[in-house]
Amino acid sequence: MKCAWTMLLKQRYFSVYIKCNLAYPWFIYGACFQCVFCSYNPRLTLRQDDSVLYDTNYSHTVLFHQKGSNSLLVGGFNNVLYLDVGGQSLENFILNPYLPRCDMSSCKNVVTVIEKFQDCTIVCGTNGEDPTCWKLFPKESNRSTEVVEGTGISPYMYTQNSLSLIADGDLYAAAPLYSDGTLLQFRRKAGKRTSIWMHDQWVSEPTFISSFLAERKNDSLNEKIYVLFREKNPDTSPEADPWISRVARVCKVDEGGSKQFLQNIWTSFLKARLVCGIPRESLYFNRLHDVFVQHAEDWMESRVYALFSSSWNSTAVCIYSLKDLDYVFESSSFKGYTEDIPSPRPGMCVNNSNSIPIPTLRIIKEYPEMKDWIHPIQKDTPFFTSNKNFTKIAVDRVQATDERMHNVLLLATDSGGILKILEDGSKAFIISETHLCNGSAPVQSMKLDSEKRRLFVGYPGQLSVLDLQRCQDYNASCEECVLSRDPYCAWTERGCTSQTKGGIQNIADGLTNVCNQITEGRIRRDVQQSTAPLSNQHFVPTDVPFYLSCPVESHHATYIWEHGDKRIPCQQTQSECLFLIPSMMADMYGNYKCISHERDYTKTVNEYNLFPKSAFNDALKIRALDWLMAAFVTSAFYLCLL
């Protein structure tokens, strides 16, 4: 009981720790010692109103976009829509024209899988709780189809877990074999190699998240498929999280064992615990939600970006090196196994898996878990932590003006926002948060088109596209462009544009002194002049309240009001910096400036000149005299002409 209470205290402490540091940079209360998360607010909050690509009544969406392709495939209820990347509908294909029409979920055919397989596109759906796949073959302007069995590829209901992967000409999938959701396994279902599956005892109530093939140049024998999932935690103690995250590995050439042992079952299956958290506090994010793999030419340099949540409603991103991940499988002892490890070592890839000795296979069957855990590159703390709920992750790689490559994370929230985050070494810099749909809706699917710098985003009832090169958001000045630290954008003679070659950036620290390099001053002066703050003049009676406001243009800037030699802090909301004058006094009139300061850049955002009400009457009298004088001069001029 004491351990459970201790764990509960730690979880609550950590939740408060995140929240207080997010909201109050200098907050000190209990365990909040310093602001390690204060930069985890988006610098800019934006809307992209022209983002809607396609309106639909689908509540579930599957997206498929092949690298280099100009088309996007969208799966919904009993149909696949072909779009070009500009949003024009090319073709709408109905899968099962004989599907009964009714509102019951058992009557629906929800698309759950779209993959390019061999010489066709394979689409699988629930088909009224009768999992079915359709092979779509291009045939001039129309498409011919072939219906195939879909059990084990598509689930019976779209709410059930499923996963699919095409690797080296083979189709891999995870879906329940029975309508009640049981016998959920990762299998090789079709292709040039033997169909094989998992041993029933290897996983417990799994939720499969992602799978990928790590290709190795000139070493195809040792190419492996990695499967990331979460499963029920065997530790049932009160302080333990009910779920635990895993990564499993199988050899691509695995054909299963001999007739005597593990026939048609993976002979190379191993799994290990995937760790994301703060080990020194024994706080872990155990619920894996989404994964994005950034493949490198050398497989050992590939990176796995994983999105986790915790039992105390916080989320985190941890980054793993595929080299470090593989090292655990190659060197760790096997959990629960105490005898000498036989040769070949369990999990090694061999040309003929049917010939693997039974002592090696027995360890695979009975002790598939590694004793060592897989830790992220940044072992002490997650790369990114937040009290928001995130649903999807993608990572783009962008070359800046200095020809260095930078990683940009794209995180989707359950309220519909897309966070754009610069990976600044071991730190996260949130460039912006953009909302693409009206209202609040969770992001259900995401596909990155890195070549065209677009992110396709699926919401309930809407498909949108985020332009990753929206440099017009920082076009006010060179300083604003540089402060954004957006690798997609640079300051040029045409303003802040996506043509970064030869432009001005400072991705490293965002300091604006690099703007002194500008040689074309005309454009800079024009842009700055058009965005200079107007001086607001107000005539205010004494003894009445009055408030001043200016827009919060950057959430990373600090704002103050200046009045004479006084510096007054503002009351800052999400979008405005306010200054309330409870009652106007004689010494409160004069000039007020709203000043923002961010890194090395200071500017006046808004300016007010406040005058007493009597000055307004005097001004009216002066204007009246000026008008009378002007009228007199004009009349005299016309009399002279006569």
Side-chain angles (χ1 to χ4, degrees):
M1 188 64 186
K2 182 180 179 182
C3 292
W5 178 247
T6 303
M7 188 61 187
L8 181 63
L9 285 176
K10 284 185 175 180
Q11 291 177 357
R12 289 187 175 178
Y13 143 69
F14 190 63
S15 180
V16 173
Y17 182 70
I18 291 176
K19 290 177 181 177
C20 73
N21 279 289
L22 279 168
Y24 310 106
W26 300 280
F27 184 82
I28 300 177
Y29 178 79
C32 294
F33 299 112
Q34 65 183 83
C35 180
V36 294
F37 298 113
C38 60
S39 64
Y40 285 4
N41 289 317
R43 182 178 178 270
L44 301 181
T45 303
L46 307 169
R47 290 200 64 86
Q48 187 180 319
D49 295 325
D50 59 347
S51 68
V52 178
L53 193 64
Y54 182 67
D55 280 314
T56 171
N57 60 355
Y58 306 147
S59 61
H60 179 77
T61 307
V62 174
L63 305 179
F64 179 82
H65 177 73
Q66 197 169 29
K67 184 178 180 180
S69 171
N70 289 321
S71 64
L72 176 72
L73 280 68
V74 183
F77 287 162
N78 200 34
N79 81 324
V80 176
L81 181 69
Y82 288 76
L83 301 173
D84 68 14
V85 292
Q88 297 297 316
S89 176
L90 302 179
E91 186 177 1
N92 188 11
F93 187 85
I94 305 299
L95 296 173
N96 184 358
Y98 308 107
L99 190 72
R101 293 182 177 273
C102 73
D103 294 331
M104 302 288 290
S105 61
S106 59
C107 300
K108 296 185 182 299
N109 181 21
V110 180
V111 174
T112 57
V113 174
I114 305 177
E115 297 282 1
K116 287 288 185 182
F117 180 57
Q118 296 173 345
D119 57 347
C120 67
T121 300
I122 186 167
V123 179
C124 304
T126 58
N127 196 40
E129 298 190 13
D130 179 22
T132 305
C133 294
W134 290 262
K135 290 184 177 181
L136 308 185
F137 297 92
K139 186 180 179 182
E140 297 178 358
S141 60
N142 298 318
R143 293 180 182 269
S144 59
T145 63
E146 176 185 332
V147 180
V148 296
E149 171 64 36
T151 305
I153 304 175
S154 172
Y156 289 81
M157 295 179 287
Y158 76 88
T159 53
Q160 293 173 337
N161 182 228
S162 65
L163 178 73
S164 63
L165 171 70
I166 302 296
D168 197 25
D170 293 315
L171 170 63
Y172 299 81
L177 289 185
Y178 300 114
S179 59
D180 62 358
T182 57
L183 211 56
L184 174 59
Q185 296 184 352
F186 181 77
R187 310 173 181 89
R188 185 161 61 215
K189 288 291 295 182
K192 58 188 178 182
R193 295 185 176 87
T194 307
S195 294
I196 51 178
W197 49 88
M198 295 167 57
H199 180 53
D200 292 346
Q201 305 303 315
W202 283 343
V203 294
S204 175
E205 299 181 29
T207 300
F208 291 99
I209 305 297
S210 180
S211 61
F212 64 93
L213 169 67
E215 297 182 350
R216 302 189 183 192
K217 284 190 174 181
N218 305 318
D219 188 15
S220 61
L221 172 65
N222 286 306
E223 289 183 343
K224 299 176 181 71
I225 293 168
Y226 298 84
V227 186
L228 295 103
F229 61 100
R230 62 178 186 265
E231 65 173 330
K232 190 175 181 180
N233 192 348
D235 184 355
T236 57
S237 56
E239 68 270 18
D241 194 294
W243 299 100
I244 195 165
S245 295
R246 306 282 195 192
V247 57
R249 189 188 79 170
V250 294
C251 294
K252 183 189 72 174
V253 298
D254 195 337
E255 297 282 353
S258 64
K259 292 182 179 180
Q260 288 77 25
F261 206 77
L262 296 185
Q263 185 180 16
N264 296 114
I265 294 177
W266 297 109
T267 62
S268 54
F269 180 91
L270 297 174
K271 69 176 183 178
R273 180 172 177 178
L274 201 61
V275 178
C276 181
I278 305 179
R280 67 180 180 274
E281 300 292 344
S282 297
L283 290 168
Y284 296 99
F285 297 81
N286 289 320
R287 304 177 191 185
L288 182 66
H289 285 280
D290 197 27
V291 169
F292 188 91
V293 182
Q294 190 181 75
H295 293 281
E297 193 169 346
D298 181 352
W299 72 271
M300 289 190 289
E301 296 178 3
S302 297
R303 305 176 95 191
V304 178
Y305 292 77
L307 177 65
F308 296 85
S309 71
S310 70
S311 57
W312 61 94
N313 297 322
S314 297
T315 56
V317 174
C318 280
I319 308 171
Y320 304 86
S321 160
L322 194 53
K323 178 183 177 182
D324 294 345
L325 189 151
D326 222 47
Y327 178 78
V328 171
F329 288 112
E330 300 291 344
S331 62
S332 171
S333 57
F334 298 86
K335 187 175 181 179
Y337 184 78
T338 57
E339 300 176 21
D340 293 337
I341 297 175
S343 181
R345 178 184 167 88
M348 284 186 61
C349 300
V350 297
N351 277 315
N352 183 9
S353 60
N354 301 146
S355 63
I356 297 176
I358 289 181
T360 296
L361 294 180
R362 199 174 299 279
I363 294 178
I364 291 287
K365 182 181 178 182
E366 298 176 5
Y367 306 97
E369 184 178 349
M370 301 289 97
K371 184 178 180 180
D372 294 344
W373 293 357
I374 295 174
H375 294 272
I377 295 172
Q378 192 173 328
K379 295 178 173 57
D380 297 333
T381 184
F383 167 74
F384 174 76
T385 311
S386 173
N387 58 1
K388 289 186 177 182
N389 294 320
F390 294 94
T391 58
K392 295 291 178 182
I393 184 172
V395 184
D396 200 9
R397 196 157 173 78
V398 188
Q399 187 175 32
T401 57
D402 59 4
E403 299 188 354
R404 292 181 58 194
M405 301 301 293
H406 297 273
N407 295 325
V408 177
L409 282 70
L410 303 160
L411 287 178
T413 71
D414 64 350
S415 60
I418 305 293
L419 264 65
K420 190 178 185 182
I421 302 175
L422 172 69
E423 185 183 339
D424 179 21
S426 61
K427 295 178 290 184
F429 176 83
I430 306 183
I431 298 169
S432 62
E433 180 177 1
T434 304
H435 289 265
L436 304 175
C437 72
N438 295 324
S440 176
V443 174
Q444 294 180 325
S445 52
M446 259 183 8
K447 281 292 178 184
L448 174 66
D449 185 346
S450 186
E451 293 182 354
K452 296 181 175 62
R453 303 302 192 195
R454 291 181 174 185
L455 183 72
F456 300 104
V457 183
Y459 298 94
Q462 179 180 314
L463 180 64
S464 297
V465 57
L466 173 64
D467 182 3
L468 299 177
Q469 300 181 126
R470 283 182 55 88
C471 303
Q472 63 268 33
D473 294 326
Y474 330 117
N475 203 37
S477 65
C478 173
E479 287 81 2
E480 294 290 342
C481 190
V482 170
L483 283 169
S484 73
R485 298 180 69 188
D486 190 331
Y488 296 100
C489 304
W491 185 262
T492 68
E493 293 181 356
R494 295 184 302 278
C496 197
T497 73
S498 59
Q499 302 299 318
T500 58
K501 188 174 182 180
I504 294 176
Q505 286 181 328
N506 190 355
I507 307 301
D509 56 25
L511 295 177
T512 63
N513 54 8
V514 294
C515 289
N516 298 330
Q517 302 171 14
I518 293 180
T519 56
E520 179 60 52
R522 178 182 60 81
I523 292 180
R524 183 181 180 188
R525 284 196 301 272
D526 289 347
V527 173
Q528 285 185 325
Q529 186 176 4
S530 65
T531 59
L534 297 175
S535 179
N536 302 287
Q537 294 191 3
H538 293 273
F539 295 89
V540 186
T542 57
D543 300 325
V544 299
F546 195 78
Y547 80 90
L548 315 175
S549 71
C550 73
V552 172
E553 297 176 347
S554 168
H555 301 298
H556 288 185
T558 56
Y559 291 81
I560 61 162
W561 288 93
E562 287 187 355
H563 177 228
D565 57 354
K566 296 179 181 178
R567 296 168 65 86
I568 310 161
C570 72
Q571 299 296 318
Q572 191 166 324
T573 67
Q574 184 68 16
S575 59
E576 287 187 292
C577 169
L578 304 175
F579 174 46
L580 175 64
I581 301 174
S583 180
M584 287 297 299
M585 310 290 276
D587 61 345
M588 293 180 180
Y589 294 101
N591 179 264
Y592 288 83
K593 289 182 179 180
C594 176
I595 307 294
S596 74
H597 180 77
E598 184 175 1
R599 297 186 183 269
D600 63 339
Y601 182 51
T602 302
K603 75 169 184 176
T604 300
V605 181
N606 211 350
E607 185 174 1
Y608 286 83
N609 283 303
L610 304 185
F611 301 98
K613 190 71 172 180
S614 58
F616 176 70
N617 296 328
D618 292 341
L620 284 179
K621 292 177 182 178
I622 293 171
R623 288 183 182 179
L625 289 173
D626 288 343
W627 182 84
L628 289 172
M629 182 61 70
F632 174 77
V633 171
T634 302
S635 300
F637 174 74
Y638 279 108
L639 287 173
C640 290
L641 289 177
L642 294 173

